[in-house]
Amino acid sequence: MDIPGLPARRAALNLIDAVLRRGETLDQAGGSALARVKGDADRALARAIAGEVLRWKQDLDALIDSATRLPLADDAKARAVLQIMLAQVLRLETPAHAVIATGLPLLMGGPRRLAHGVFSTLTKREVTLPEVPTLPDAVMERWGVRAEAIAAGLSEPPPLDLALRDAAATAEWAEKLGGVSLMPGHVRLPRGIAVEHLEGFRDGAWWVQDLAASLPARLLGAGEGRRALDLCAAPGGKTMQLAAAGWQVTALDNAKRRLERLRENLQRTGLEADVVQADALAWEPEEKFDAILLDAPCTATGTSRRHPDVLHRIGARQIGEMTEIQSKMLERAAQWLKPGGVLVYAVCSMEPEEGEEQAAEVELTPVPVTASELPEGLAASGEGWLRTDPGMLSEAGGLDGFFIARWANT
């Protein structure tokens, strides 16, 4: 019989291995890694352990190396087990005896004595982690001068952001839910809340959407019955924003399962859109649009607060693959605009190749983002583009990393 809590730790080990060795996302790995874990609480614990290891991996490894005479191989199972043991003690405040009871059995037939010795040495030293995670060298180099500030924003998982169907009711919903608002149509709550049990969920009064992720659709303004195309629309947060703002929306995506979630979200909120399953690189519209929102496929490195796996599995190859797709999509989207139509391009990426370098190639008329369209504390660049990162608005809980630009077909 398994030791209580052991399946969750074994699942965490498998999640980390899937990210570091196979380059999978935590979501992709979850299906098989969590299959034998019973109960929502234990599945959530496995994800939390894996997330904290990936968030603090550089610092956990430094502690492990400080307590071993000969360094453990990077891919040694004992190193991985020590990572999850230390993450529980130092980040999740799990008692040391429980960590030992559920950690050492993962090394059955392996160097249990070594792992026990290293863990005991470190706990006796009362070691701690730094206030800010140390980013991998490659990430530090790519993110440049903002890297340290961004790292500070990764110390904790993000709060819960809600986008409201009716922006005029912002104060009302902030009071009802006990949250704060950083701009009209937004309410922020502490993390860890079960959204299905909150007032307004079943009535479709709001949906979960990071504040930064809500900005691209806001930049298209009021629809007033005009036609908008939401490219790569699923699971539907931006489609719902556009529909709520009065746009007649065509929501296009190639992923059947994600489109099912989009339809469910539309049904819950009572909002309407024409949902199309198609490849944006092959599809052709019957007529042009007044507005197009292209939230393009990307490396998603801007979501590292909630998906710390991106810190370890994204590199030049993945960035190159995404930029090729983004360029093709931007070129096609520009052709589908009516005269006077507006295009907004967005990626939840921290990589300049996916943001600034893509925007520089667009041959439409720039429409700079203005301060009145943004939460207090954010500002557009000199080119009129918007770059957000997890180190911004830190006093209010931070936000995801995005690049956003806007043009008109004049």
Side-chain angles (χ1 to χ4, degrees):
M1 177 179 290
D2 266 332
I3 298 168
L6 182 59
R9 275 71 175 187
R10 185 178 290 118
L13 197 63
N14 291 336
L15 285 169
I16 295 164
D17 181 68
V19 171
L20 299 180
R21 188 167 60 85
R22 299 197 297 274
E24 296 181 12
T25 69
L26 284 173
D27 289 342
Q28 288 169 339
S32 58
L34 299 170
R36 297 186 179 181
V37 181
K38 298 179 180 179
D40 291 343
D42 274 359
R43 284 192 286 271
L45 174 61
R47 292 190 190 95
I49 294 171
E52 291 303 320
V53 167
L54 294 171
R55 197 182 307 275
W56 295 89
K57 183 178 182 302
Q58 309 299 111
D59 303 298
L60 294 170
D61 281 341
L63 290 176
I64 293 167
D65 292 341
S66 74
T68 55
R69 185 171 58 86
L70 297 175
L72 295 169
D74 289 343
D75 60 352
K77 188 174 183 180
R79 179 181 289 278
V81 170
L82 281 165
Q83 289 168 351
I84 71 170
M85 293 173 71
L86 290 170
Q88 291 174 81
V89 166
L90 300 177
R91 292 294 299 165
L92 303 180
E93 300 181 349
T94 308
H97 66 85
V99 170
I100 292 170
T102 56
L104 296 184
L106 296 171
L107 289 170
M108 193 68 68
R112 298 176 65 180
R113 182 175 296 179
L114 169 66
H116 195 181
V118 171
F119 181 77
S120 297
T121 295
L122 293 173
T123 52
K124 286 176 182 177
R125 289 182 190 169
E126 298 183 350
V127 297
T128 60
L129 290 168
E131 291 186 8
V132 173
T134 301
L135 297 178
D137 291 343
V139 175
M140 290 286 289
E141 184 177 349
R142 293 203 317 266
W143 293 357
V145 295
R146 286 287 301 167
E148 291 188 8
I150 295 168
L154 306 183
S155 300
E156 299 289 344
L160 178 67
D161 282 342
L162 308 180
L164 304 181
R165 186 178 59 197
D166 180 9
T170 300
E172 175 186 347
W173 280 110
E175 182 177 357
K176 281 183 179 180
L177 299 174
V180 297
S181 177
L182 301 185
M183 68 185 308
H186 166 265
V187 172
R188 173 163 287 182
L189 303 174
R191 68 179 181 272
I193 295 175
V195 295
E196 297 86 353
H197 300 145
L198 288 175
E199 184 177 356
F201 174 78
R202 294 186 182 279
D203 299 331
W206 48 261
W207 52 90
V208 176
Q209 187 177 32
D210 185 81
L211 176 60
S214 76
L215 298 177
R218 292 172 181 268
L219 297 183
L220 290 176
E224 299 173 339
R226 292 174 295 162
R227 299 180 67 247
L229 172 63
D230 184 8
L231 285 169
C232 311
K238 297 175 181 68
T239 293
M240 292 184 288
Q241 283 184 276
L242 293 171
W247 291 94
Q248 182 184 339
V249 186
T250 297
L252 185 142
D253 202 286
N254 200 30
K256 180 179 179 181
R257 182 172 297 180
R258 285 167 58 84
L259 281 178
E260 290 173 358
R261 287 183 58 197
L262 186 150
R263 290 188 178 95
E264 292 170 359
N265 284 327
L266 288 172
Q267 183 176 11
R268 181 174 64 86
T269 57
L271 296 167
E272 296 182 356
D274 179 21
V275 180
V276 178
Q277 182 181 352
D279 182 350
L281 295 178
W283 177 77
E284 290 288 346
E286 294 181 357
E287 55 183 308
K288 295 186 176 184
F289 295 89
D290 299 289
I292 298 177
L293 173 55
L294 171 55
D295 186 358
C298 70
T299 56
T301 51
T303 68
S304 48
R305 295 187 306 162
R306 67 191 79 245
H307 301 299
D309 52 282
V310 301
L311 298 172
H312 305 281
R313 59 177 184 79
I314 297 299
R317 178 178 61 82
Q318 293 86 351
I319 295 170
E321 290 171 351
M322 289 295 102
T323 56
E324 185 175 348
I325 294 170
Q326 293 153 5
S327 295
K328 292 177 179 178
M329 285 190 168
L330 268 168
E331 183 179 353
R332 290 176 68 80
Q335 297 170 6
W336 298 337
L337 277 178
K338 289 180 179 179
V342 176
L343 168 65
V344 169
Y345 170 75
V347 283
C348 55
S349 167
M350 296 301 306
E351 316 307 324
E353 297 94 328
E354 299 182 85
E356 289 85 351
E357 292 181 20
Q358 293 285 12
E361 298 298 319
V362 175
E363 296 181 353
L364 295 171
T365 302
V367 181
V369 177
T370 65
S372 63
E373 298 173 294
L374 301 175
E376 185 176 353
L378 296 184
S381 67
E383 297 87 352
W385 305 330
L386 178 65
R387 164 64 74 185
T388 68
D389 68 50
M392 296 176 177
L393 304 186
S394 56
E395 301 83 358
L399 73 171
D400 281 352
F402 260 81
F403 175 84
I404 311 168
R406 179 175 57 186
W407 303 268
N409 182 24
T410 57

